[in-house]
Amino acid sequence: MSDEIILVNMNDDEIGCCEKMEAHRIPALHRAFSVFLYKRTGKKLHMLLQKRAEGKYHSGGLWTNACCSHPRRGETLAEAVPRRMTEELGIVAEVTEEFSFTYFHRFSENCAEFEFDHVFTGKWEGEVVPDPEEISEVSWMEFSDIEQGMMARPDSFSPWFLIAAPKVMAVLRNREQ
């Protein structure tokens, strides 16, 4: 399967394709998505977090949202999101797009993320079967514990999670009142 991802402009209009690692080396703005799964236990909301596998090309060992990736060349978000949830978590959950944002973060001289990130949320109550090549650990965490962790140890979380998670938690708290 092609490892070409979709390059976009600041309006998320497709402007071409590029091999994934090259897009991260250049860096080139590309389309991405982040899936946040949550559940309610009593009165508390919990979010599924994954700890990225140490061997990932960036952000290994950091906590982040349930699933994140890129649609491939010729693939829509509606196709890419369930594909990656299946590959990373062994599930397909019904999700809704909530918002999008653009961010840039340099990890090293030869690796940066420059993404137009589409953020999806969905409820999930079942088990997950994480791919150990992608994920070293998963945890359901209560929203306030996540917020405290982000304040106390921001370097334990992926850069996109620090941007998106507070917005996602606000949306979900409003929805689940």
Side-chain angles (χ1 to χ4, degrees):
M1 190 55 86
S2 170
D3 226 8
E4 285 191 314
I5 58 176
I6 301 165
L7 303 181
V8 296
N9 63 20
M10 294 302 274
N11 294 313
D12 195 35
D13 300 317
E14 187 172 337
I15 59 171
C17 293
C18 186
E19 192 277 326
K20 180 174 82 170
M21 296 310 291
E22 180 67 7
H24 290 92
R25 186 191 66 73
I26 295 174
L29 182 62
H30 55 277
R31 187 171 294 148
F33 60 88
S34 295
V35 178
F36 288 77
L37 298 177
Y38 72 100
K39 67 181 179 180
R40 177 181 288 284
T41 305
K43 293 184 178 184
K44 295 187 177 194
L45 292 172
H46 292 78
M47 183 182 297
L48 179 65
L49 271 59
Q50 65 152 284
K51 191 172 192 179
R52 290 172 58 92
E54 290 292 338
K56 297 290 287 179
Y57 64 99
H58 70 71
S59 304
L62 297 182
W63 288 99
T64 197
N65 48 287
C67 176
C68 42
S69 192
H70 314 92
R72 296 174 176 152
R73 178 183 199 160
E75 186 177 44
T76 66
L77 286 164
E79 296 164 334
V81 170
R83 173 182 58 81
R84 284 306 290 169
M85 281 194 293
T86 300
E87 292 170 356
E88 287 189 26
L89 300 167
I91 67 167
V92 176
E94 187 174 319
V95 296
T96 302
E97 186 168 356
E98 301 290 354
F99 59 89
S100 59
F101 67 100
T102 303
Y103 80 97
F104 177 85
H105 182 84
R106 181 161 297 284
F107 298 99
S108 69
E109 186 177 317
N110 295 316
C111 184
E113 283 282 22
F114 191 19
E115 292 188 336
F116 194 106
D117 195 1
H118 295 261
V119 177
F120 293 82
T121 64
K123 278 189 174 179
W124 184 255
E125 299 285 339
E127 295 296 315
V128 296
V129 183
D131 175 353
E133 296 290 317
E134 299 285 335
I135 301 169
S136 65
E137 190 177 337
V138 293
S139 179
W140 284 101
M141 295 183 70
E142 202 274 315
F143 283 17
S144 63
D145 292 337
I146 295 169
E147 291 164 330
Q148 289 172 8
M150 290 190 307
M151 292 294 295
R153 300 173 311 284
D155 58 348
S156 297
F157 297 90
S158 71
W160 62 91
F161 184 83
L162 291 170
I163 297 167
K167 295 175 187 178
V168 167
M169 288 186 281
V171 166
L172 295 176
R173 281 178 170 133
N174 286 337
R175 181 177 302 145
E176 294 290 319
Q177 285 186 18

